[in-house]
Amino acid sequence: MSSDTLTVIDNRTGASYELPIVQGTVKAMDLRRIKTGDEDFGLMSFDPGLTNTASSRSSITYIDGEKGILRYRGYPIEQLAAKSTYLETAYLVIFGELPTADHLARWQHDISRHSLLHTNIQHLIETFRFNAHPMSVFISAIASLSTLYPDARQVTDPVNRRLQVERMIAKAATIAAFTYRHNQGWPFIYPDDGLSFIGNFLKMMFRMTEVEYVPNPVLERALNILWILHADHEQNCGTNAMRVIGSSQADPYSALAGAAAALYGPLHGAANEAVLRMLEQIGRPENVPAFLAKVKNGEGERLMGFGHRIYKNYDPRCRIIKQTAEEVFQVTGRNPLLDVALELERIALQDDYFISRKLYPNVDFYSGLIYRAMNLPASMFTVMFAVPRTCGWVAHWMEMVGDPEQKISRPRQIYTGSEMRGYVPMEQRG
Ligand code: CMC
């Protein structure tokens, strides 16, 4: 008998089955062989939230959650954060290799060429109320791109796919900046080819009346680091949404809007916004013990920015962001809420409730403090997450569309409803 197998004995029938084990997994479809008789549908696995189900093979991002390791295409996140730029990392994540100088120059040129927005999208953004949540505006504007680029439906054409990828990476940043400026009531600032991708983004966001806008190099570097760290995180909720929608061969803008919508929830990308509101609510370090007591008693909300489905150790991104926050504060001035965050972390990491559940600070715990230092409202934080995560979403979409093993995503269910019953006329209903 091969050792790379799993022997299963079905105690209902006494039958024994041998299931192959490949790369630490058994195929869910192999379970279907396990039946009580010819009429039986066969065994399924039940996994709400897909906590123990691999839905694809992927060569993009490696995470070891127990050890706190994160790598893109094999490169440790610490090295990329220290040495790369967001756009170079995006190339790596999407195409699999670091670019040569020529490839990087062409990539930068192609992205910058697509960074303008069609005036229809500008007008669309202007139609939203000034106080509409920026993520709602962002999601709507991303979805609307499919009205302008119907060629994006040719998802099986690799040349066409690359064109859409360039558009998505470039336009997500411009849409984010225009969303912010509309929210503030400021006129739009168009993209500037003379700046780096991040420098241009800062200009589109923050330029007021300066004749020449010069991005602050510390803030530009900090944003590069934050966006490198947010570029991908394998099969998270948003990426899963991108893959699920893309699996029907819908155009990638529709899939991207769906991925961004998944990110919008407070258990996912909107946790950074929730963290800041939580820190403001706690107010001062001396209020931390009382707040944590409520979290542990289940009287209040969760400790936002803590815990992760995959990391059962310190999130490696959080360590880098914490250091980056200190550097940003040297330029912008120290935000007193940092002391509240540090006190929360200090006490929680010594508390048995958090230790026993392996709850550590995650990527969202300190990132909001940097965005706040840049004067951004909390409602913009998730948009600032969505722009760089666009890189991961399109990388997974490209991988999925080119993977012959992938099928339209369509899970099973365990039906728990009524047996068949007859239609009841209105006058006989109780
Ligand atoms: N505060 C207090 N208790 C928590 C927390 C928290 N932040 N996170 C998990 N727990 C407890 C939870 O109550 C449960 O306890 P018990 O076993 O007694 O019922 C246990 O830890 C396991 O929690 P879970 O909900 O089963 O874990 P999960 O893997 O389904 O959830 C999570 C992961 C990230 C949704 C969760 O940790 C959470 O809600 N964290 C706060 C929100 C947050 O920071 N989200 C950002 C995640 S990282 C970036 C991203 O994904 O976008």
Side-chain angles (χ1 to χ4, degrees):
M1 188 191 297
S2 159
S3 58
D4 288 339
T5 59
L6 177 73
T7 302
V8 178
I9 296 172
D10 185 346
N11 291 324
R12 299 171 302 176
T13 60
S16 168
Y17 302 83
E18 204 180 325
L19 311 183
I21 298 176
V22 180
Q23 294 182 300
T25 60
V26 290
K27 283 198 168 173
M29 280 305 282
D30 283 344
L31 297 175
R32 289 272 283 278
R33 286 166 38 212
I34 303 175
K35 297 180 177 201
T36 52
D38 289 344
E39 296 293 302
D40 187 0
F41 181 76
L43 216 56
M44 295 189 293
S45 59
F46 179 57
D47 189 7
L50 304 178
T51 55
N52 195 39
T53 296
S55 60
S56 61
R57 296 175 206 277
S58 181
S59 60
I60 300 171
T61 289
Y62 172 79
I63 302 176
D64 183 329
E66 295 296 327
K67 295 192 183 132
I69 293 174
L70 170 61
R71 296 181 199 136
Y72 299 154
R73 304 285 188 181
Y75 293 100
I77 194 71
E78 293 79 7
Q79 290 184 23
L80 292 168
K83 297 177 183 162
S84 186
T85 61
Y86 167 66
L87 216 51
E88 183 188 60
T89 296
Y91 185 100
L92 169 72
V93 170
I94 296 167
F95 302 113
E97 295 296 336
L98 283 169
T100 61
D102 285 351
H103 286 153
L104 183 60
R106 188 181 150 206
W107 174 237
Q108 284 165 335
H109 170 266
D110 289 343
I111 295 297
S112 135
R113 192 164 62 94
H114 289 296
S115 58
L116 267 179
L117 283 189
H118 193 288
T119 49
N120 281 2
I121 302 291
Q122 283 179 215
H123 296 325
L124 175 81
I125 291 173
E126 283 168 339
T127 60
F128 291 105
R129 279 184 61 165
F130 72 97
N131 60 354
H133 195 288
M135 263 312 269
S136 305
V137 178
F138 181 83
I139 292 165
S140 309
I142 292 282
S144 306
L145 291 173
S146 73
T147 65
L148 296 167
Y149 307 113
D151 58 323
R153 299 189 74 187
Q154 298 162 30
V155 296
T156 53
D157 172 359
V159 177
N160 190 284
R161 281 206 295 267
R162 172 152 180 150
L163 173 65
Q164 309 313 330
V165 165
E166 290 162 2
R167 284 180 176 150
M168 286 187 278
I169 297 290
K171 293 185 195 302
T174 313
I175 287 174
F178 282 21
T179 297
Y180 173 59
R181 292 193 72 97
H182 173 65
N183 181 264
Q184 297 296 306
W186 298 337
F188 298 140
I189 300 293
Y190 292 113
D192 177 346
D193 255 3
L195 295 170
S196 71
F197 183 75
I198 298 282
N200 173 53
F201 178 75
L202 288 170
K203 178 175 176 180
M204 290 192 293
M205 292 281 286
F206 299 118
R207 182 179 172 206
M208 300 308 279
T209 55
E210 307 90 322
V211 177
E212 189 186 359
Y213 178 89
V214 182
N216 181 305
V218 175
L219 298 188
E220 188 175 344
R221 185 65 209 144
L223 203 52
N224 259 304
I225 292 172
L226 276 176
W227 284 14
I228 288 168
L229 299 177
H230 282 89
D232 190 45
H233 212 238
E234 50 119 306
Q235 312 299 325
N236 56 82
C237 181
T239 302
N240 187 49
M242 182 88 192
R243 281 179 171 266
V244 168
I245 300 170
S247 75
S248 73
Q249 297 193 347
D251 74 84
Y253 302 106
S254 302
L256 194 67
L263 190 76
Y264 190 10
L267 298 188
H268 193 8
N272 52 14
E273 179 180 346
V275 168
L276 200 92
R277 297 195 198 289
M278 175 187 76
L279 295 177
E280 285 171 344
Q281 182 200 330
I282 298 171
R284 304 157 70 93
E286 50 270 35
N287 299 335
V288 164
F291 177 82
L292 285 180
K294 278 189 177 175
V295 169
K296 292 192 294 179
N297 296 339
E299 291 167 34
E301 58 183 50
R302 288 183 162 197
L303 175 51
M304 300 311 281
F306 254 68
H308 201 278
R309 172 64 59 77
I310 305 290
Y311 292 118
K312 301 304 168 198
N313 200 327
Y314 211 96
D315 182 334
R317 301 168 297 176
C318 181
R319 195 171 279 119
I320 302 170
I321 293 174
K322 195 172 162 186
Q323 167 68 28
T324 307
E326 296 285 2
E327 288 159 21
V328 167
F329 290 161
Q330 283 175 14
V331 175
T332 61
R334 191 180 166 90
N335 184 334
L337 291 180
L338 177 65
D339 295 323
V340 179
L342 291 170
E343 185 68 352
L344 271 173
E345 179 183 337
R346 189 184 70 77
I347 299 186
L349 293 186
Q350 293 171 6
D351 189 304
D352 188 55
Y353 176 95
F354 296 93
I355 295 170
S356 61
R357 290 169 177 78
K358 298 188 176 175
L359 300 172
Y360 292 85
N362 60 47
V363 69
D364 291 319
F365 195 63
Y366 289 104
S367 59
L369 287 172
I370 299 183
Y371 291 136
R372 175 46 58 87
M374 293 178 177
N375 274 332
L376 287 176
S379 58
M380 268 301 288
F381 294 177
T382 311
V383 175
M384 299 293 281
F385 186 159
V387 176
R389 183 52 61 81
T390 299
C391 152
W393 290 330
V394 303
H396 282 271
W397 173 72
M398 293 268 277
E399 185 174 67
M400 187 223 31
V401 174
D403 180 352
E405 226 177 6
Q406 286 295 310
K407 292 173 177 294
I408 185 167
S409 187
R410 202 318 184 174
R412 294 277 174 178
Q413 65 168 12
I414 301 172
Y415 178 68
T416 60
S418 303
E419 293 295 320
M420 195 189 81
R421 48 187 175 163
Y423 179 80
V424 181
M426 183 68 77
E427 58 279 11
Q428 292 173 22
R429 291 178 209 164

